[in-house]
PDB file of all heavy atoms in Angstrom:
ATOM      1  N   PRO A  85      11.184  23.957  28.105  1.00 49.00           N
ATOM      2  CA  PRO A  85      10.125  23.336  28.890  1.00 49.00           C
ATOM      3  C   PRO A  85       8.758  23.689  28.319  1.00 49.00           C
ATOM      4  O   PRO A  85       8.544  24.785  27.810  1.00 49.00           O
ATOM      5  CB  PRO A  85      10.303  23.947  30.285  1.00 49.00           C
ATOM      6  CG  PRO A  85      10.856  25.300  29.988  1.00 49.00           C
ATOM      7  CD  PRO A  85      11.732  25.144  28.759  1.00 49.00           C
ATOM      8  N   PHE A  86       7.834  22.741  28.412  1.00 51.00           N
ATOM      9  CA  PHE A  86       6.484  22.943  27.911  1.00 51.00           C
ATOM     10  C   PHE A  86       5.610  23.362  29.079  1.00 51.00           C
ATOM     11  O   PHE A  86       5.353  22.586  29.995  1.00 51.00           O
ATOM     12  CB  PHE A  86       5.971  21.648  27.285  1.00 51.00           C
ATOM     13  CG  PHE A  86       4.623  21.774  26.649  1.00 51.00           C
ATOM     14  CD1 PHE A  86       4.452  22.595  25.546  1.00 51.00           C
ATOM     15  CD2 PHE A  86       3.534  21.083  27.154  1.00 51.00           C
ATOM     16  CE1 PHE A  86       3.207  22.709  24.944  1.00 51.00           C
ATOM     17  CE2 PHE A  86       2.294  21.191  26.553  1.00 51.00           C
ATOM     18  CZ  PHE A  86       2.126  22.002  25.449  1.00 51.00           C
ATOM     19  N   ARG A  87       5.173  24.627  29.107  1.00 55.00           N
ATOM     20  CA  ARG A  87       4.424  25.150  30.237  1.00 55.00           C
ATOM     21  C   ARG A  87       3.001  25.517  29.809  1.00 55.00           C
ATOM     22  O   ARG A  87       2.797  26.077  28.740  1.00 55.00           O
ATOM     23  CB  ARG A  87       5.114  26.381  30.823  1.00 55.00           C
ATOM     24  CG  ARG A  87       6.505  26.112  31.377  1.00 55.00           C
ATOM     25  CD  ARG A  87       7.038  27.345  32.096  1.00 55.00           C
ATOM     26  NE  ARG A  87       8.349  27.109  32.662  1.00 55.00           N
ATOM     27  CZ  ARG A  87       9.493  27.388  32.067  1.00 55.00           C
ATOM     28  NH1 ARG A  87       9.473  27.908  30.837  1.00 55.00           N
ATOM     29  NH2 ARG A  87      10.644  27.155  32.647  1.00 55.00           N
ATOM     30  N   LEU A  88       2.056  25.213  30.669  1.00 59.00           N
ATOM     31  CA  LEU A  88       0.663  25.553  30.426  1.00 59.00           C
ATOM     32  C   LEU A  88       0.151  26.415  31.575  1.00 59.00           C
ATOM     33  O   LEU A  88       0.565  26.235  32.718  1.00 59.00           O
ATOM     34  CB  LEU A  88      -0.209  24.291  30.335  1.00 59.00           C
ATOM     35  CG  LEU A  88       0.074  23.318  29.190  1.00 59.00           C
ATOM     36  CD1 LEU A  88      -0.798  22.085  29.345  1.00 59.00           C
ATOM     37  CD2 LEU A  88      -0.174  23.964  27.846  1.00 59.00           C
ATOM     38  N   THR A  89      -0.754  27.321  31.253  1.00 60.00           N
ATOM     39  CA  THR A  89      -1.409  28.079  32.306  1.00 60.00           C
ATOM     40  C   THR A  89      -2.430  27.176  32.985  1.00 60.00           C
ATOM     41  O   THR A  89      -2.757  26.081  32.498  1.00 60.00           O
ATOM     42  CB  THR A  89      -2.132  29.303  31.724  1.00 60.00           C
ATOM     43  OG1 THR A  89      -3.194  28.850  30.863  1.00 60.00           O
ATOM     44  CG2 THR A  89      -1.185  30.173  30.923  1.00 60.00           C
ATOM     45  N   GLY A  90      -2.980  27.645  34.106  1.00 60.00           N
ATOM     46  CA  GLY A  90      -3.998  26.859  34.789  1.00 60.00           C
ATOM     47  C   GLY A  90      -5.195  26.588  33.902  1.00 60.00           C
ATOM     48  O   GLY A  90      -5.727  25.469  33.860  1.00 60.00           O
ATOM     49  N   ASP A  91      -5.643  27.613  33.166  1.00 65.00           N
ATOM     50  CA  ASP A  91      -6.781  27.448  32.260  1.00 65.00           C
ATOM     51  C   ASP A  91      -6.476  26.442  31.161  1.00 65.00           C
ATOM     52  O   ASP A  91      -7.313  25.606  30.797  1.00 65.00           O
ATOM     53  CB  ASP A  91      -7.146  28.793  31.629  1.00 65.00           C
ATOM     54  CG  ASP A  91      -7.760  29.749  32.637  1.00 65.00           C
ATOM     55  OD1 ASP A  91      -8.124  29.289  33.735  1.00 65.00           O
ATOM     56  OD2 ASP A  91      -7.864  30.944  32.327  1.00 65.00           O
ATOM     57  N   GLU A  92      -5.258  26.519  30.591  1.00 66.00           N
ATOM     58  CA  GLU A  92      -4.879  25.599  29.524  1.00 66.00           C
ATOM     59  C   GLU A  92      -4.796  24.163  30.037  1.00 66.00           C
ATOM     60  O   GLU A  92      -5.206  23.224  29.344  1.00 66.00           O
ATOM     61  CB  GLU A  92      -3.537  26.032  28.922  1.00 66.00           C
ATOM     62  CG  GLU A  92      -3.616  27.321  28.125  1.00 66.00           C
ATOM     63  CD  GLU A  92      -2.248  27.856  27.745  1.00 66.00           C
ATOM     64  OE1 GLU A  92      -1.255  27.506  28.426  1.00 66.00           O
ATOM     65  OE2 GLU A  92      -2.165  28.610  26.764  1.00 66.00           O
ATOM     66  N   THR A  93      -4.262  23.990  31.244  1.00 67.00           N
ATOM     67  CA  THR A  93      -4.177  22.650  31.825  1.00 67.00           C
ATOM     68  C   THR A  93      -5.564  22.086  32.070  1.00 67.00           C
ATOM     69  O   THR A  93      -5.824  20.904  31.810  1.00 67.00           O
ATOM     70  CB  THR A  93      -3.386  22.689  33.148  1.00 67.00           C
ATOM     71  OG1 THR A  93      -2.111  23.274  32.914  1.00 67.00           O
ATOM     72  CG2 THR A  93      -3.201  21.288  33.710  1.00 67.00           C
ATOM     73  N   LEU A  94      -6.470  22.918  32.564  1.00 68.00           N
ATOM     74  CA  LEU A  94      -7.841  22.477  32.805  1.00 68.00           C
ATOM     75  C   LEU A  94      -8.515  22.062  31.506  1.00 68.00           C
ATOM     76  O   LEU A  94      -9.181  21.019  31.438  1.00 68.00           O
ATOM     77  CB  LEU A  94      -8.632  23.605  33.474  1.00 68.00           C
ATOM     78  CG  LEU A  94     -10.110  23.321  33.783  1.00 68.00           C
ATOM     79  CD1 LEU A  94     -10.241  22.113  34.692  1.00 68.00           C
ATOM     80  CD2 LEU A  94     -10.768  24.536  34.409  1.00 68.00           C
ATOM     81  N   ALA A  95      -8.334  22.858  30.457  1.00 70.00           N
ATOM     82  CA  ALA A  95      -8.928  22.536  29.159  1.00 70.00           C
ATOM     83  C   ALA A  95      -8.354  21.233  28.609  1.00 70.00           C
ATOM     84  O   ALA A  95      -9.075  20.398  28.057  1.00 70.00           O
ATOM     85  CB  ALA A  95      -8.687  23.679  28.169  1.00 70.00           C
ATOM     86  N   LEU A  96      -7.037  21.040  28.773  1.00 70.00           N
ATOM     87  CA  LEU A  96      -6.396  19.818  28.300  1.00 70.00           C
ATOM     88  C   LEU A  96      -6.902  18.606  29.066  1.00 70.00           C
ATOM     89  O   LEU A  96      -7.169  17.551  28.480  1.00 70.00           O
ATOM     90  CB  LEU A  96      -4.877  19.937  28.453  1.00 70.00           C
ATOM     91  CG  LEU A  96      -4.044  18.737  28.008  1.00 70.00           C
ATOM     92  CD1 LEU A  96      -4.289  18.430  26.533  1.00 70.00           C
ATOM     93  CD2 LEU A  96      -2.553  19.001  28.248  1.00 70.00           C
ATOM     94  N   ALA A  97      -7.042  18.764  30.381  1.00 71.00           N
ATOM     95  CA  ALA A  97      -7.531  17.646  31.203  1.00 71.00           C
ATOM     96  C   ALA A  97      -8.950  17.260  30.807  1.00 71.00           C
ATOM     97  O   ALA A  97      -9.286  16.072  30.719  1.00 71.00           O
ATOM     98  CB  ALA A  97      -7.473  18.026  32.679  1.00 71.00           C
ATOM     99  N   LEU A  98      -9.801  18.253  30.553  1.00 72.00           N
ATOM    100  CA  LEU A  98     -11.174  17.967  30.144  1.00 72.00           C
ATOM    101  C   LEU A  98     -11.208  17.259  28.790  1.00 72.00           C
ATOM    102  O   LEU A  98     -12.006  16.341  28.570  1.00 72.00           O
ATOM    103  CB  LEU A  98     -11.971  19.271  30.071  1.00 72.00           C
ATOM    104  CG  LEU A  98     -12.309  19.927  31.415  1.00 72.00           C
ATOM    105  CD1 LEU A  98     -12.948  21.284  31.195  1.00 72.00           C
ATOM    106  CD2 LEU A  98     -13.231  19.035  32.231  1.00 72.00           C
ATOM    107  N   GLY A  99     -10.331  17.692  27.868  1.00 72.00           N
ATOM    108  CA  GLY A  99     -10.272  17.044  26.567  1.00 72.00           C
ATOM    109  C   GLY A  99      -9.799  15.608  26.668  1.00 72.00           C
ATOM    110  O   GLY A  99     -10.352  14.694  26.030  1.00 72.00           O
ATOM    111  N   LEU A 100      -8.773  15.378  27.465  1.00 70.00           N
ATOM    112  CA  LEU A 100      -8.246  14.020  27.635  1.00 70.00           C
ATOM    113  C   LEU A 100      -9.264  13.107  28.302  1.00 70.00           C
ATOM    114  O   LEU A 100      -9.339  11.911  28.005  1.00 70.00           O
ATOM    115  CB  LEU A 100      -6.959  14.059  28.468  1.00 70.00           C
ATOM    116  CG  LEU A 100      -5.717  14.617  27.769  1.00 70.00           C
ATOM    117  CD1 LEU A 100      -4.591  14.831  28.778  1.00 70.00           C
ATOM    118  CD2 LEU A 100      -5.259  13.670  26.662  1.00 70.00           C
ATOM    119  N   ALA A 101     -10.046  13.656  29.225  1.00 71.00           N
ATOM    120  CA  ALA A 101     -11.022  12.842  29.960  1.00 71.00           C
ATOM    121  C   ALA A 101     -12.074  12.239  29.043  1.00 71.00           C
ATOM    122  O   ALA A 101     -12.647  11.191  29.350  1.00 71.00           O
ATOM    123  CB  ALA A 101     -11.684  13.680  31.049  1.00 71.00           C
ATOM    124  N   THR A 102     -12.319  12.891  27.907  1.00 72.00           N
ATOM    125  CA  THR A 102     -13.329  12.383  26.969  1.00 72.00           C
ATOM    126  C   THR A 102     -12.712  11.606  25.819  1.00 72.00           C
ATOM    127  O   THR A 102     -13.433  11.074  24.983  1.00 72.00           O
ATOM    128  CB  THR A 102     -14.143  13.546  26.393  1.00 72.00           C
ATOM    129  OG1 THR A 102     -13.269  14.451  25.703  1.00 72.00           O
ATOM    130  CG2 THR A 102     -14.871  14.296  27.504  1.00 72.00           C
ATOM    131  N   ALA A 103     -11.378  11.539  25.766  1.00 71.00           N
ATOM    132  CA  ALA A 103     -10.695  10.836  24.679  1.00 71.00           C
ATOM    133  C   ALA A 103     -10.394   9.391  25.082  1.00 71.00           C
ATOM    134  O   ALA A 103     -10.205   9.077  26.256  1.00 71.00           O
ATOM    135  CB  ALA A 103      -9.401  11.552  24.314  1.00 71.00           C
ATOM    136  N   ARG A 104     -10.329   8.553  24.116  1.00 71.00           N
ATOM    137  CA  ARG A 104     -10.056   7.146  24.368  1.00 71.00           C
ATOM    138  C   ARG A 104      -8.647   6.984  24.943  1.00 71.00           C
ATOM    139  O   ARG A 104      -7.663   7.418  24.368  1.00 71.00           O
ATOM    140  CB  ARG A 104     -10.176   6.358  23.060  1.00 71.00           C
ATOM    141  CG  ARG A 104      -9.956   4.863  23.233  1.00 71.00           C
ATOM    142  CD  ARG A 104     -10.134   4.171  21.890  1.00 71.00           C
ATOM    143  NE  ARG A 104      -9.920   2.736  22.014  1.00 71.00           N
ATOM    144  CZ  ARG A 104      -9.982   1.881  20.999  1.00 71.00           C
ATOM    145  NH1 ARG A 104     -10.265   2.338  19.788  1.00 71.00           N
ATOM    146  NH2 ARG A 104      -9.776   0.590  21.201  1.00 71.00           N
ATOM    147  N   GLY A 105      -8.575   6.363  26.106  1.00 71.00           N
ATOM    148  CA  GLY A 105      -7.290   6.127  26.744  1.00 71.00           C
ATOM    149  C   GLY A 105      -6.689   7.332  27.432  1.00 71.00           C
ATOM    150  O   GLY A 105      -5.562   7.282  27.907  1.00 71.00           O
ATOM    151  N   GLY A 106      -7.428   8.438  27.504  1.00 72.00           N
ATOM    152  CA  GLY A 106      -6.864   9.654  28.078  1.00 72.00           C
ATOM    153  C   GLY A 106      -7.234   9.910  29.520  1.00 72.00           C
ATOM    154  O   GLY A 106      -6.739  10.858  30.137  1.00 72.00           O
ATOM    155  N   GLN A 107      -8.097   9.057  30.102  1.00 76.00           N
ATOM    156  CA  GLN A 107      -8.584   9.309  31.461  1.00 76.00           C
ATOM    157  C   GLN A 107      -7.455   9.279  32.498  1.00 76.00           C
ATOM    158  O   GLN A 107      -7.423  10.094  33.428  1.00 76.00           O
ATOM    159  CB  GLN A 107      -9.655   8.282  31.848  1.00 76.00           C
ATOM    160  CG  GLN A 107     -10.947   8.393  31.057  1.00 76.00           C
ATOM    161  CD  GLN A 107     -10.876   7.677  29.716  1.00 76.00           C
ATOM    162  OE1 GLN A 107      -9.817   7.158  29.348  1.00 76.00           O
ATOM    163  NE2 GLN A 107     -11.981   7.654  28.997  1.00 76.00           N
ATOM    164  N   LYS A 108      -6.520   8.355  32.350  1.00 77.00           N
ATOM    165  CA  LYS A 108      -5.436   8.228  33.322  1.00 77.00           C
ATOM    166  C   LYS A 108      -4.563   9.480  33.339  1.00 77.00           C
ATOM    167  O   LYS A 108      -4.239  10.022  34.408  1.00 77.00           O
ATOM    168  CB  LYS A 108      -4.583   6.999  33.013  1.00 77.00           C
ATOM    169  CG  LYS A 108      -3.517   6.714  34.053  1.00 77.00           C
ATOM    170  CD  LYS A 108      -2.788   5.413  33.725  1.00 77.00           C
ATOM    171  CE  LYS A 108      -1.716   5.110  34.784  1.00 77.00           C
ATOM    172  NZ  LYS A 108      -1.001   3.842  34.481  1.00 77.00           N
ATOM    173  N   LEU A 109      -4.187   9.942  32.145  1.00 74.00           N
ATOM    174  CA  LEU A 109      -3.362  11.153  32.064  1.00 74.00           C
ATOM    175  C   LEU A 109      -4.135  12.366  32.555  1.00 74.00           C
ATOM    176  O   LEU A 109      -3.578  13.255  33.211  1.00 74.00           O
ATOM    177  CB  LEU A 109      -2.897  11.370  30.623  1.00 74.00           C
ATOM    178  CG  LEU A 109      -1.983  12.579  30.379  1.00 74.00           C
ATOM    179  CD1 LEU A 109      -0.770  12.534  31.294  1.00 74.00           C
ATOM    180  CD2 LEU A 109      -1.546  12.619  28.917  1.00 74.00           C
ATOM    181  N   ALA A 110      -5.448  12.419  32.265  1.00 74.00           N
ATOM    182  CA  ALA A 110      -6.276  13.525  32.737  1.00 74.00           C
ATOM    183  C   ALA A 110      -6.279  13.574  34.261  1.00 74.00           C
ATOM    184  O   ALA A 110      -6.241  14.651  34.868  1.00 74.00           O
ATOM    185  CB  ALA A 110      -7.702  13.384  32.204  1.00 74.00           C
ATOM    186  N   GLY A 111      -6.321  12.387  34.890  1.00 76.00           N
ATOM    187  CA  GLY A 111      -6.283  12.331  36.352  1.00 76.00           C
ATOM    188  C   GLY A 111      -4.988  12.870  36.914  1.00 76.00           C
ATOM    189  O   GLY A 111      -4.976  13.584  37.917  1.00 76.00           O
ATOM    190  N   LYS A 112      -3.872  12.547  36.255  1.00 74.00           N
ATOM    191  CA  LYS A 112      -2.575  13.043  36.713  1.00 74.00           C
ATOM    192  C   LYS A 112      -2.486  14.557  36.565  1.00 74.00           C
ATOM    193  O   LYS A 112      -1.984  15.256  37.461  1.00 74.00           O
ATOM    194  CB  LYS A 112      -1.452  12.367  35.925  1.00 74.00           C
ATOM    195  CG  LYS A 112      -1.283  10.879  36.222  1.00 74.00           C
ATOM    196  CD  LYS A 112      -0.115  10.306  35.441  1.00 74.00           C
ATOM    197  CE  LYS A 112       0.091   8.831  35.765  1.00 74.00           C
ATOM    198  NZ  LYS A 112       1.232   8.258  35.000  1.00 74.00           N
ATOM    199  N   LEU A 113      -2.986  15.061  35.443  1.00 68.00           N
ATOM    200  CA  LEU A 113      -2.957  16.512  35.233  1.00 68.00           C
ATOM    201  C   LEU A 113      -3.836  17.222  36.266  1.00 68.00           C
ATOM    202  O   LEU A 113      -3.481  18.283  36.775  1.00 68.00           O
ATOM    203  CB  LEU A 113      -3.438  16.847  33.821  1.00 68.00           C
ATOM    204  CG  LEU A 113      -2.454  16.585  32.683  1.00 68.00           C
ATOM    205  CD1 LEU A 113      -3.130  16.816  31.338  1.00 68.00           C
ATOM    206  CD2 LEU A 113      -1.230  17.479  32.812  1.00 68.00           C
ATOM    207  N   GLY A 114      -4.984  16.613  36.566  1.00 71.00           N
ATOM    208  CA  GLY A 114      -5.869  17.206  37.555  1.00 71.00           C
ATOM    209  C   GLY A 114      -5.231  17.269  38.929  1.00 71.00           C
ATOM    210  O   GLY A 114      -5.370  18.268  39.651  1.00 71.00           O
ATOM    211  N   ALA A 115      -4.503  16.199  39.275  1.00 73.00           N
ATOM    212  CA  ALA A 115      -3.831  16.168  40.577  1.00 73.00           C
ATOM    213  C   ALA A 115      -2.740  17.228  40.644  1.00 73.00           C
ATOM    214  O   ALA A 115      -2.567  17.908  41.656  1.00 73.00           O
ATOM    215  CB  ALA A 115      -3.245  14.779  40.819  1.00 73.00           C
TER     216      ALA A 115
END
Side-chain angles (χ1 to χ4, degrees):
F86 184 65
R87 298 187 179 94
L88 296 175
T89 65
D91 290 347
E92 290 170 337
T93 305
L94 179 59
L96 180 59
L98 289 173
L100 287 170
T102 60
R104 182 178 180 181
Q107 293 83 356
K108 186 175 181 180
L109 182 55
K112 291 182 178 180
L113 284 174

